[in-house]
């Protein structure tokens, strides 16, 4: 237990000093929120629809996914290049525990990200109107973060270069954000993209968020979204634990 606490402190200090982590976690979601609200906030197809709140919820979902995939990919690639692996190998714990520890440290930063973006969304500049059950949205957000974190870990296992995993992370998360309805409303996407959205993890993350945060959709869809996120996350964790080595 002492080793795990020491490892968590090292990883947290490393994250707080890393500019890339701070930009991906805090700056990009906040900037995206303001940009999308300004671009699409007044373009609701139904005047009675609270489009701003939907945009804000979508951005929160995308921000968590974006931070997750970069946390998994960049950390492992950076550890290989800066010698951090030698430090981590000194701890008497398994590789699976190291991956889990970094995931939990990243999740702590993710919760801080959600709070910051949520508070920004509540300001008059944005005007989000959440429901009283909105805190329940932290459950799918945590699951969504872990899912994309382990996607990033897999990328770093296959492609150990920082430049490669950074490029591939963007090539994966940006199209998923568009097709999944987190960056552009599904209503304005082509029919083929709107149909494909149902097979993306960001779509299911949005589905799981909309009911508690905005009272849109159904609890059944929210529950199915959480089950999807949990199942895929577990599968990815088992794969990364099996394939991750110190080489």
């Amino acid at each position: 237990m002492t080793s795990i606490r020491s490892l968590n402190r090292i990883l947290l200090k490393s994250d707080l000093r890393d500019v890339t982590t701070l930009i991906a976690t805090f700056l990009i979601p906040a900037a995206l929120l303001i940009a999308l609200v300004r671009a699409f906030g007044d373009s609701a197809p139904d005047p009675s629809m609270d489009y701003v709140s939907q945009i804000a919820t979508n951005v929160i979902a995308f921000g968590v996914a974006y931070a997750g995939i970069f946390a998994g990919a960049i950390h492992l690639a950076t550890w290989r290049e800066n010698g951090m692996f030698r430090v981590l190998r000194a701890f008497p714990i398994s590789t699976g525990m190291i991956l889990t520890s970094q995931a939990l440290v990243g999740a702590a930063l993710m919760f801080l990200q959600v709070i910051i973006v949520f508070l920004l969304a509540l300001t008059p500049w944005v005007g989000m109107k959440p429901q009283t059950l909105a805190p329940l949205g932290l459950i799918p957000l945590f699951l969504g973060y872990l899912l994309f974190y382990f996607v990033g870990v897999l990328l770093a296992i296959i492609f150990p270069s920082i430049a490669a995993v950074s490029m591939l992370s963007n090539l994966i998360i940006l199209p998923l954000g568009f097709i999944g309805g987190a960056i552009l409303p599904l209503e304005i996407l082509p029919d083929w993209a709107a149909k494909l959205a149902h097979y993306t993890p960001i779509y299911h993350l949005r589905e799981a968020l909309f009911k508690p945060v905005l009272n849109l959709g159904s609890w059944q869809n929210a529950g199915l979204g959480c089950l999807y996120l949990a199942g895929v996350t577990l599968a990815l964790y088992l794969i990364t634990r099996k394939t991750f080595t110190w080489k």
Side-chain angles (χ1 to χ4, degrees):
M1 187 63 69
T2 301
S3 297
I4 294 175
R5 286 198 296 266
S6 300
L7 176 60
N8 288 340
R9 284 196 296 270
I10 290 174
L11 295 177
L12 181 59
K13 289 179 181 179
S14 176
D15 279 355
L16 293 175
R17 294 171 181 169
D18 183 66
V19 176
T20 301
T21 297
L22 296 178
I23 290 175
T25 304
F26 301 111
L27 182 59
I28 290 177
L32 184 64
L33 172 65
I34 295 173
L36 292 181
V37 167
R38 291 292 174 263
F40 300 107
D42 297 325
S43 60
D46 182 354
S48 64
M49 182 185 300
D50 184 4
Y51 222 35
V52 168
S53 294
Q54 292 188 36
I55 291 172
T57 305
N58 286 337
V59 170
I60 290 172
F62 179 76
V64 164
Y66 190 89
I69 194 169
F70 271 86
I74 297 298
H75 278 101
L76 258 69
T78 302
W79 292 347
R80 282 194 176 97
E81 293 195 5
N82 67 8
M84 185 68 169
F85 269 177
R86 291 193 297 272
V87 176
L88 295 176
R89 291 183 71 174
F91 286 88
I93 53 180
S94 67
T95 55
M97 185 57 69
I98 289 175
L99 292 178
T100 303
S101 183
Q102 178 60 64
L104 294 177
V105 169
L109 294 179
M110 178 274 294
F111 284 127
L112 181 58
Q113 174 209 80
V114 170
I115 292 171
I116 291 173
V117 176
F118 184 74
L119 291 177
L120 177 60
L122 293 178
T123 64
W125 300 335
V126 180
M128 181 184 184
K129 299 180 180 65
Q131 299 296 306
T132 55
L133 294 177
L136 291 177
L138 291 173
I139 297 172
L141 287 173
F142 177 66
L143 294 173
Y145 176 86
L146 291 180
L147 186 155
F148 281 97
Y149 168 81
F150 287 116
V151 170
V153 171
L154 276 178
L155 287 178
I157 290 172
I158 300 170
F159 305 97
S161 162
I162 294 177
V165 297
S166 179
M167 178 185 67
L168 289 169
S169 295
N170 277 307
L171 288 176
I172 291 173
I173 196 62
L174 292 177
L176 284 179
F178 280 102
I179 295 175
I183 297 179
L184 292 178
L186 288 177
E187 295 79 10
I188 69 175
L189 293 178
D191 289 341
W192 65 267
K195 293 177 181 177
L196 188 60
H198 297 266
Y199 300 97
T200 64
I202 288 184
Y203 174 85
H204 290 281
L205 175 55
R206 292 174 56 249
E207 284 284 290
L209 271 180
F210 269 33
K211 183 59 180 179
V213 176
L214 302 178
N215 197 28
L216 295 176
S218 66
W219 285 111
Q220 180 181 6
N221 288 341
L224 289 174
C226 287
L227 287 175
Y228 172 95
L229 296 172
V232 176
T233 297
L234 177 60
L236 290 171
Y237 169 74
L238 294 175
I239 293 171
T240 54
R241 184 170 182 179
K242 188 74 173 179
T243 56
F244 175 64
T245 67
W246 293 114
K247 297 180 181 179

